[in-house]
Amino acid sequence: MTLIAGTRRALLAAAGATIAAPALPRPALAQGAYPNRPIRMIVPFAAGTSTDIMTRLVTPRMTEELGQPIVVENRPGAGGIVGSDAVAKSAPDGYNLCMGSIASHSVNATLIRTIPYDVLRDFTPVSLVTNAPNLLVVGNAVPARTLPEFIAWAKTQRSVAYASAGNGTSSHLAGELLKLKTGAPLEHVPYRSAPQALTDVISGQVPMTIYQVTAVLPFVRDGKMKALAATSAKRLEWTPEVPTAIEQGIADFDVSAWHGLFAPANLPAPVLERIYAALNRALTDAALRPKLVEQGLEPVGMPPAQFRPFLEGDIAKWREVIRAADIKAD
């Protein structure tokens, strides 16, 4: 949903518009076996987004496992709907895949009333691929060093603004979830971009934001803002000293911007198993993990049987938040 800082330009330059087929060390598959031709991987977001960068890191290793090139195609539009819909309407043969996200395959299910697909009906969920965990950070003028202190202080104010990178983004929804769970008088202030939002938190124009760890960490390390909580189920490897919101008394507060792999509905089980196995081997590659971590991404590799219930729960969670906060699409 958002841009990841760091080695973006170098990655894009190396990757180019598509993933080229590397030398294939595995023997060719029998004629008719899956896969026996190139696979198209649609990224429903623009080049340079976290979903795009992650996809271009993972697919070369999957190519080695599958023995066929995976061609990455960016098809952005309507918050991930355009590219996702193209895959939903493709043949369920394993040759058209979608690297979706919390936006395209969870939030949009409620936020967009005219969405042309049903995520649970029109897709085969293959795997949760990565999480992009967040930190809750405040400006130095805020008189709090822990999340409970921040909530207590916020309740003494008429309202406390929090910044996000835009309406319906994971940082927006995380703030609304915190408001619902604590009763703190939080007021959403959407920005056109994450850098603008972070600049105003640092300057004190806005007290708080919840955003991806690698984007805010340099400012935390430089003492320009304070990290009060990790908004994940467990402490983050980037900031092991920062306790989670759950540890600090906010039950079930697990918010990450995730990425997941999808295929059209009714994908044959042997093809599903083949794709998942290739992805899982890629994510457990010791050489790949540090590249993902550098981008602020935690590799997951959740099996299909677990990914569908996860997806059902995530859609239900954000449906409750969106309706309770009366969030509307721009």
Side-chain angles (χ1 to χ4, degrees), residues 245-259:
I246 296 173
E247 287 180 276
Q248 298 181 75
I250 313 298
D252 301 320
F253 196 82
D254 184 4
V255 181
S256 295
W258 54 263
H259 306 99

Side-chain angles (χ1 to χ4, degrees), residues 270-292:
V271 177
L272 172 60
E273 292 167 5
R274 186 88 166 89
I275 295 170
Y276 170 70
L279 173 65
N280 194 49
R281 291 192 190 101
L283 292 175
T284 56
D285 187 344
L288 177 62
R289 178 179 172 80
K291 296 177 182 178
L292 293 172

Side-chain angles (χ1 to χ4, degrees), residues 60-108:
R61 186 69 182 87
M62 290 182 66
T63 289
E64 295 175 8
E65 292 294 332
L66 292 170
Q68 289 289 340
I70 299 176
V71 181
V72 178
E73 178 183 331
N74 293 95
R75 192 177 289 192
I81 291 176
V82 173
S84 300
D85 188 48
V87 174
K89 291 177 169 56
S90 298
D93 54 13
Y95 291 100
N96 291 281
L97 305 176
C98 176
M99 191 64 79
S101 74
I102 186 176
S104 60
H105 285 76
S106 181
V107 173
N108 283 350

Side-chain angles (χ1 to χ4, degrees), residues 19 32 42 47-48 57 64-65 70-71 79-80 118 120 133 164 183 186 189 197 203 227 253-254 261 279 282 290 301:
I19 299 294
I42 287 184
L57 287 171
E64 295 175 8
E65 292 294 332
I70 299 176
V71 181
D118 183 298
L120 298 173
S164 83
L186 303 178
V189 180
S203 68
F253 196 82
D254 184 4
L261 183 60
L279 173 65

Side-chain angles (χ1 to χ4, degrees), residues 111-226:
L111 189 62
I112 309 298
R113 293 185 179 181
T114 57
I115 190 167
Y117 52 81
D118 183 298
V119 171
L120 298 173
R121 182 194 65 209
D122 297 332
F123 290 94
T124 298
V126 178
S127 180
L128 183 64
V129 181
T130 60
N131 278 325
N134 302 317
L135 284 177
L136 187 155
V137 294
V138 297
N140 287 328
V142 174
R145 301 202 69 84
T146 67
L147 183 54
E149 288 178 1
F150 172 75
I151 299 301
W153 169 77
K155 289 182 177 180
T156 68
Q157 309 297 304
R158 179 174 298 178
S159 67
V160 174
Y162 73 93
S164 83
N167 191 51
T169 60
S170 60
S171 53
H172 176 199
L173 297 174
E176 292 300 322
L177 181 61
L178 183 65
K179 179 179 180 179
L180 288 174
K181 285 185 171 290
T182 65
L186 303 178
E187 182 179 351
H188 179 228
V189 180
Y191 283 76
R192 291 185 177 274
S193 69
Q196 291 176 327
L198 296 179
T199 296
D200 276 7
V201 173
I202 292 169
S203 68
Q205 296 296 313
V206 181
M208 186 268 283
T209 191
I210 299 173
Y211 202 65
Q212 293 177 4
V213 58
T214 49
V216 301
L217 190 56
F219 303 115
V220 173
R221 296 287 190 242
D222 288 344
K224 295 179 179 178
M225 57 174 62
K226 296 178 286 188

